[in-house]
Amino acid sequence: NRLQSVTLAVLSAIVRQGSSFARELLSAFNFTYKPFLKLIVKRKSTGRDQFEDGNKHKPSEKDTVRNFFIRFALSFLSLREPVITTQVIKIKYFVGAIFKGLPEDSTVIVLEYLDTLRAAILSQRHVSRPDKTYFFNSFVLLQLIRLFEQDSEEVQEKAYSFLHALCCEKQIAIFQPLQHHSFIAGSSVGGGSTMKSSIPNQND
């Protein structure tokens, strides 16, 4: 696990060197390699199970292989290069696949993921509407709704804000007006209250 995490960290560092490095990695890396795809579900510790004084400690969220995988995927989007972003979000089982299991991730990871997607894809005018619609499909919408089940109020608010931008904000919304195509998703939030979000039906 530790070797896999270190490898992913090195790949992320390469991408962050700039667009030319990212493009070269995109052209050379085999994103369909089955052992690579399995890393997205690994939540075990990377093996760092001791402090410097030798005391055992519970592995932290930041040590999981899945988190290193997520940050590798986000490293491409963080460049804010529309051409690279478009290419990356079309890679099967990569950036979009992170949504599966996202409700079980830590608050830090969920917020980082959603913030990056909003800045690099949703709010990016140079990423085409068809590409955005391809990425933010019905499965993604349902996973966003599932985030309301998290105990973190911060995650719930972030998910609501993201869905509102995706469906309602005039400048960046990518679906048809809600009054024509919508369904209501009710999700319980902290304190026993209910939050309702209107999400468009892409199949209409």
Side-chain angles (χ1 to χ4, degrees):
N1 285 342
R2 181 159 176 72
L3 179 59
Q4 294 166 341
S5 296
V6 169
T7 301
L8 289 169
V10 170
L11 290 172
S12 299
I14 291 174
V15 174
R16 287 195 297 268
Q17 294 302 307
S19 301
S20 59
F21 288 89
R23 282 192 288 268
E24 188 170 347
L25 187 57
L26 280 172
S27 64
F29 194 82
N30 182 7
F31 290 93
T32 63
Y33 184 52
K34 288 185 178 180
F36 170 73
L37 297 177
K38 291 179 180 179
L39 300 181
I40 198 172
V41 299
K42 287 200 170 187
R43 296 181 182 273
K44 294 182 179 180
S45 166
T46 61
R48 293 191 296 177
D49 58 355
Q50 291 184 321
F51 287 115
E52 291 182 359
D53 60 5
N55 294 326
K56 296 285 184 178
H57 75 285
K58 183 179 179 179
S60 64
E61 269 292 329
K62 66 180 181 179
D63 295 333
T64 65
V65 175
R66 174 178 164 84
N67 286 0
F68 280 98
F69 182 100
I70 291 172
R71 289 189 169 119
F72 172 48
L74 296 184
S75 65
F76 289 98
L77 303 183
S78 297
L79 296 173
R80 305 290 195 273
E81 288 282 349
V83 174
I84 291 176
T85 295
T86 300
Q87 186 176 350
V88 167
I89 64 177
K90 289 182 178 180
I91 298 175
K92 213 170 182 180
Y93 310 121
F94 192 39
V95 178
I98 294 170
F99 271 106
K100 186 175 182 179
L102 191 65
E104 287 75 52
D105 285 320
S106 68
T107 297
V108 172
I109 285 294
V110 174
L111 297 181
E112 181 180 354
Y113 184 62
L114 294 184
D115 283 341
T116 304
L117 294 189
R118 183 162 182 168
I121 304 175
L122 188 57
S123 299
Q124 178 56 257
R125 295 182 179 180
H126 298 292
V127 176
S128 72
R129 185 188 182 99
D131 288 332
K132 291 178 182 179
T133 305
Y134 169 85
F135 183 80
F136 294 111
N137 52 40
S138 58
F139 170 78
V140 167
L141 291 174
L142 290 173
Q143 299 312 305
L144 285 168
I145 292 170
R146 282 192 63 208
L147 291 176
F148 293 138
E149 300 170 5
Q150 269 215 7
D151 293 333
S152 170
E153 184 176 345
E154 194 174 4
V155 168
Q156 294 168 0
E157 291 176 351
K158 182 71 68 174
Y160 180 83
S161 174
F162 197 99
L163 284 165
H164 185 273
L166 188 63
C167 305
C168 304
E169 286 189 16
K170 186 176 181 180
Q171 298 300 321
I172 60 178
I174 62 175
F175 298 113
Q176 296 298 317
L178 295 180
Q179 61 266 32
H180 298 307
H181 312 301
S182 65
F183 66 88
I184 302 299
S187 300
S188 295
V189 295
S193 61
T194 300
M195 181 180 294
K196 291 184 180 292
S197 300
S198 298
I199 314 299
N201 187 342
Q202 297 186 84
N203 296 320
D204 287 345

